[in-house]
Amino acid sequence: MPVALATLLVALAVGCPALVLYSYAGYPLVLRLLSALHALLARHRAAPGGGVGEAQLPCVAVVIAAYNEEQHIADRIRNLLQQDYPVDRLRVYVGSDGSRDRTAELLRAVRDPNVQAVEFVQNRGKASVLNDLVARTSEPLLVFSDANTRFAPDALRRLVARFADADVGCVAGELRLLSSGGDNQDGMYWRIEQMLKLHESRIGATLGANGAIYAIRRELWQPLAADTICDDFCVAMGVAARGHRSLYEPTAVAEEDVPASIGAEYGRRVRIGIGNFQALVRHPEYLLRTSFATRFAYLSHKVLRWLAPHLLLLGLAASAALALFGPSAGRPFWAGVAAAEAAALLLAGGLYLLSERLARSAARLPGVLAIPAFLFALNFAFLVASWRYATGSYSGSWRRTAR
């Protein structure tokens, strides 16, 4: 084997797993350090005020696109109308995107003047509904949410308070995932993600938003391409790319229920993964026109996570090539590395299959074993998503899941 090729393979065999390890373990540590340093340097600054006074609260439009949400839509509207927010400054815009259940019927029954319900007969996808609903608004602040979400009573006030700073263009709230039990590690993974969001916000690197609860200034809204999948991520990152600050407000709380089974969320993860790759390819401005802190976090937290399964497989292939064709002195070492990597992948895959089998009988894996099962499911979904995006086998239409 030529020396140059052997050197390249060694770089891939070492570098690819190292990048994955950095994204999952190294980056959180670096981020915590940067966050602490930022807090230390900013300790002389005055503490933020206590919020926005009643007279200064702006008009808010809550925008919700719904598809086959008969189970949630009535409670969702009731939840919004019970917000601790001046009724004359709150308007709800909700659209049924060609729902095939009773969603449109339930919306037609709403008689509250602060709710504008729109029935779209044709199913076109969430992005198109959001475009149409936003076009009907005139309020200076847009709050986006989902039909199966529940806001805490003060959620709107908490979001709106952060817009007292004229530089802030987007505020993301906190979504709490409520589980009825089972082996799903989504909740634990989500708590880690929330921690990362908090520290990213502190260094000025908030990445996107969760569609359950976030707000933007209306003048920063840009219509979405009809087949956009991760609309929440693209809307929030678009604000950052236009030079405005995005913040994470953990006291603005929303809740959603999650299924007990890891596999119950598999289709949703694949779809979100397709949207991730769609955003990566379509929007280079997220890397070219955002702040340095945002670019650093985007590469470390998002891009490397999306590419993690590809990096792991590439590292395994490089190790196997070195074991078979590399310099003879190093072949036993690389054979051991390749065998260990392959065994780890097979073990994680086996645990995932076992977790799904146990879930059918209302049992679950112990937490320490459920973590690798969850990570396998997550990364396998990213791998499938990248293939489907590359081959064009996706659309912007809805895919109803348990969550």
Side-chain angles (χ1 to χ4, degrees):
M1 175 181 288
V3 174
L5 179 57
T7 302
L8 175 61
L9 290 174
V10 170
L12 292 174
V14 174
C16 290
L19 286 173
V20 176
L21 183 63
Y22 161 73
S23 181
Y24 278 96
Y27 170 66
L29 295 177
V30 172
L31 180 63
R32 290 289 295 268
L33 178 62
L34 292 175
S35 177
L37 180 61
H38 184 272
L40 183 65
L41 295 175
R43 69 184 184 276
H44 62 280
R45 298 175 184 173
V52 180
E54 190 81 12
Q56 289 76 43
L57 287 172
C59 293
V60 172
V62 180
V63 181
I64 296 176
Y67 174 66
N68 289 351
E69 291 286 359
E70 65 178 7
Q71 181 180 352
H72 303 107
I73 197 66
D75 288 339
R76 176 80 263 241
I77 293 175
R78 189 179 304 111
N79 169 253
L80 290 171
L81 295 177
Q82 291 173 349
Q83 281 289 293
D84 177 21
Y85 204 85
V87 67
D88 61 323
R89 282 168 253 175
L90 171 62
R91 192 164 178 82
V92 178
Y93 297 81
V94 56
S96 171
D97 185 31
S99 297
R100 299 174 182 175
D101 62 0
R102 297 178 59 243
T103 299
E105 176 187 340
L106 293 172
L107 288 177
R108 287 194 296 269
V110 176
R111 294 290 182 262
D112 194 293
N114 288 335
V115 178
Q116 183 173 136
V118 184
E119 180 182 355
F120 299 100
V121 177
Q122 180 183 358
N123 177 251
R124 296 171 299 151
K126 184 178 181 181
S128 295
V129 175
L130 291 179
N131 288 336
D132 287 349
L133 291 177
V134 170
R136 296 168 181 261
T137 67
S138 58
E139 293 76 10
L141 292 183
L142 303 176
V143 176
F144 295 93
S145 187
D146 293 325
N148 62 325
T149 304
R150 299 176 297 276
F151 280 3
D154 62 347
L156 285 180
R157 282 183 178 267
R158 300 283 186 173
L159 283 178
V160 167
R162 303 306 297 270
F163 287 99
D165 185 339
D167 292 333
V168 173
C170 175
V171 179
E174 172 166 336
L175 174 62
R176 294 179 180 173
L177 300 179
L178 306 181
S179 176
S180 59
D183 61 354
N184 190 359
Q185 293 299 301
D186 207 352
M188 185 193 70
Y189 181 80
W190 188 255
R191 289 193 293 273
I192 295 173
E193 289 295 292
Q194 299 296 71
M195 180 272 292
L196 295 179
K197 285 183 182 181
L198 178 63
H199 292 291
E200 286 167 346
S201 182
R202 289 177 178 174
I203 68 170
T206 299
L207 299 176
N210 184 279
I213 179 167
Y214 74 104
I216 70 167
R217 298 187 188 275
R218 191 184 188 284
E219 67 264 24
L220 299 179
W221 167 264
Q222 293 178 305
L224 297 160
D227 64 342
T228 300
I229 294 176
C230 292
D231 52 274
D232 46 5
F233 181 77
C234 291
V235 170
M237 288 298 285
V239 169
R242 297 180 69 181
H244 293 264
R245 292 173 60 206
S246 294
L247 300 177
Y248 168 55
E249 178 48 68
T251 66
V253 176
E255 295 178 345
E256 284 184 9
D257 297 319
V258 295
S261 166
I262 295 174
E265 287 264 275
Y266 172 75
R268 177 177 173 273
R269 291 195 190 100
V270 170
R271 181 165 175 75
I272 290 177
I274 295 171
N276 296 152
F277 289 105
Q278 184 187 66
L280 178 64
V281 173
R282 286 186 179 178
H283 298 285
E285 66 270 22
Y286 299 166
L287 285 172
L288 301 177
R289 298 211 307 264
T290 53
S291 67
F292 175 80
T294 301
R295 292 195 296 269
F296 164 69
Y298 182 44
L299 282 171
S300 301
H301 185 181
K302 298 296 185 180
V303 177
L304 285 179
R305 295 276 183 95
W306 301 340
L307 297 176
H310 311 78
L311 292 171
L312 290 174
L313 292 177
L314 185 58
L316 173 58
S319 297
L322 288 167
L324 293 173
F325 309 111
S328 56
R331 288 182 183 179
F333 170 78
W334 290 113
V337 171
E341 291 175 339
L345 290 175
L346 290 173
L347 176 61
L351 288 172
Y352 167 65
L353 294 176
L354 178 59
S355 72
E356 288 304 288
R357 186 171 183 177
L358 290 174
R360 288 193 288 271
S361 58
R364 59 177 175 171
L365 287 172
V368 68
L369 297 180
I371 294 173
F374 171 79
L375 291 176
F376 178 87
L378 182 70
N379 283 279
F380 187 72
F382 281 142
L383 190 66
V384 172
S386 66
W387 172 255
R388 288 184 55 183
Y389 176 72
T391 58
S393 55
Y394 70 95
S395 72
S397 59
W398 298 76
R399 295 292 183 272
R400 193 73 178 86
T401 66
R403 177 178 145 207

